[in-house]
Amino acid sequence: IALPKLDRGWFDHTLQVDLHLGYITENVNFLPFIGGGRLYSLTAPELNTSVGFVGYDFYSITGETVLNLGLTYRFPLARQLGWSAGTIFVEDLYAQVFTSWGNIWGYNQNADGSFSRQIPFVDAAPNGQHILGDVGVDLRFGHFFQELDANFGTTLRAAYRLIPFSACPYDDVNANPNCLDDGGRRALSVYLMVGGGF
């Protein structure tokens, strides 16, 4: 959403709203929904302004029902810099602040060994929480290689995990060992994404 430009068009700020929903019809062990510390897209860098579960460790949140709402406000710090260092040309420097909320739910194991689907927000997910949330900030450098038509871009991202994991699933620490390590505590994560798009 492009917000009204300020300062004669120099301050071109935006608000981005992302809602991700997903549903897998059965309990799967191979390629469930994955959350935590990963780019939305490895092939379309322009989508990487989006954030979701980025404050959590990579692959620490998995399951068959996903819901994530993200809000991102993006604004310029410096524009039309025209800095050149060797073959790299730096044009813009932007910042963005963001937050994302949601979870990925799976299945509960019943007394008879069968599984029943967890109900979002009603049941705690395998990570022990009904909802997860994070906040963060990006510094985004708009640059490219001269004589190369590519949106290269570099992002320095810091994200804080607001709600840590509270329990291990099914009382089995081997089912999700991430709930016992740093993923189970409030913590700050820092990412340097070179080539992650601008």
Side-chain angles (χ1 to χ4, degrees), residues 139-161:
L139 285 179
R140 306 181 67 87
F141 298 85
H143 63 85
F144 57 90
F145 289 112
Q146 296 181 26
E147 301 181 5
L148 179 64
D149 184 16
N151 172 13
F152 194 72
T154 294
T155 298
L156 178 62
R157 171 172 290 172
Y160 186 74
R161 182 168 44 250

Side-chain angles (χ1 to χ4, degrees), residues 57 59-60 165 167-169 172-184:
D57 293 345
Y59 215 118
S60 64
F165 297 158
C168 291
D172 179 3
V173 297
N174 295 317
N176 184 0
N178 292 292
C179 66
L180 294 179
D181 63 16
D182 291 339

Side-chain angles (χ1 to χ4, degrees), residues 39 45-51 72 74-78 90 92-96 98 137-143 151-157 193 196-198:
L39 299 178
E46 62 273 11
L47 300 180
N48 288 328
T49 54
S50 303
V51 293
T72 303
R74 189 180 191 197
F75 55 95
L77 297 177
V90 180
D92 298 310
L93 173 61
Y94 276 68
Q96 67 179 27
F98 61 83
V137 61
D138 285 354
L139 285 179
R140 306 181 67 87
F141 298 85
H143 63 85
N151 172 13
F152 194 72
T154 294
T155 298
L156 178 62
R157 171 172 290 172
M193 298 177 283
F198 177 66

Side-chain angles (χ1 to χ4, degrees), residues 25 38 44 59 64 75 80 90 114 132 135-137 147 153 169 176 187:
T25 58
R38 62 195 299 265
Y59 215 118
E64 289 74 32
F75 55 95
Q80 301 173 349
V90 180
S114 64
L132 301 174
V135 295
V137 61
E147 301 181 5
N176 184 0

Side-chain angles (χ1 to χ4, degrees), residues 40-113:
Y40 270 15
S41 173
L42 299 178
T43 57
E46 62 273 11
L47 300 180
N48 288 328
T49 54
S50 303
V51 293
F53 304 117
V54 71
Y56 299 85
D57 293 345
F58 176 69
Y59 215 118
S60 64
I61 313 169
T62 62
E64 289 74 32
T65 305
V66 59
L67 189 151
N68 185 262
L69 176 65
L71 297 175
T72 303
Y73 174 64
R74 189 180 191 197
F75 55 95
L77 297 177
R79 293 188 58 206
Q80 301 173 349
L81 293 171
W83 293 348
S84 181
T87 60
I88 298 179
F89 186 82
V90 180
E91 181 68 7
D92 298 310
L93 173 61
Y94 276 68
Q96 67 179 27
V97 292
F98 61 83
T99 185
S100 66
W101 295 87
N103 211 335
I104 302 180
W105 292 267
Y107 282 77
N108 290 323
Q109 187 171 15
N110 303 318
D112 61 0

